[in-house]
Amino acid sequence: MSTIAFIGLGIMGSPMAVNLVRAGHRVVGYNRTPDRAKDLVAAGGVAAESIADAVAGADVVAIMVPDSPDVQAVLTGEDGVFGHAEPGTLIVDFSSIRPDVTVRLAEQAHGQGLRLLDAPVSGGEPGAVNGTLSIMVGGAAEDFDAAAAVFAAVGKTIVHVGPSGSGQTVKAANQLIVAGNIELLAEAIVFLEAYGVDTAAAVRVLGGGLAGSAVLDQKAQKMLDRSFAPGFRIALHHKDLGIVTAAAREAGVVTPLGGLVAQLMASARANGDGGLDHSGLLKGVERLSGRNLN
């Protein structure tokens, strides 16, 4: 089993690190807020006081932080991975960031004798807790093979999708599809409620037909209950849709529905909903419909 440094122990990173411990790996975790390491330590992992301490002697460095600048800081900062990891170390970035940033960081890593995979995930907090994440991986095929045991501990659907940056590109497409599905589900629920339909029954029958989806299965009940504790925050999905919008523009691709849902996500964030689960887009539909917010 490997010695793994895990940087970023938030909603997703903490359960992923715990699952790596349960799979038999030695895991040394670091988070800017030290209290976030408590679940890892309780599972048998170790808390480090700095990134440099975490990566010392690590075979693999895993990263799960919010955005491109955060990944850049973790890798290239004064206390960063590039300055302290041993040559040959495999870096697996589970974060969702801009594809062009990933490509540049992978080139920089290679120049320093390190290996970097971009491996963003889908499945939200339930997938992280249950070890059933979908992982889309960009980078060298031999590095993908070398990371097999790490991926197996945290994911279920694990696919190598191409060279560096490809994982981030596929994740951007994933976030586009998910955002559109969540918005349409929210609109459907507000529509059903306006007609006094038994929404729980409606969701059940919709889930058995062509309208059924993982989004409906995981997010409909949160909408019905108006329970928006974050599994994946609107602020992060707003960031991801910014990546989609910029990348589509660079590629000369038109995403009209994607542009609309990006604006709706931005509106939710501007209205103070950024800390809510992205199923909280329901509140935006209610606002636009002039209905009472619960």
Side-chain angles (χ1 to χ4, degrees), residues 43 54 90 94 124 167 184 187 204 216 224 226 229 237 245 257 273:
L90 177 60
F94 290 115
L184 287 173
E187 293 177 15
R204 187 164 65 252
L216 188 147
L224 295 181
R226 272 43 175 197
H237 213 144
T245 301
L257 291 179
D273 295 340

Side-chain angles (χ1 to χ4, degrees), residues 192 197-213 216-217:
L192 291 167
V197 172
D198 181 340
T199 49
V203 164
R204 187 164 65 252
V205 71
L206 290 171
L210 192 58
S213 68
L216 188 147
D217 292 342

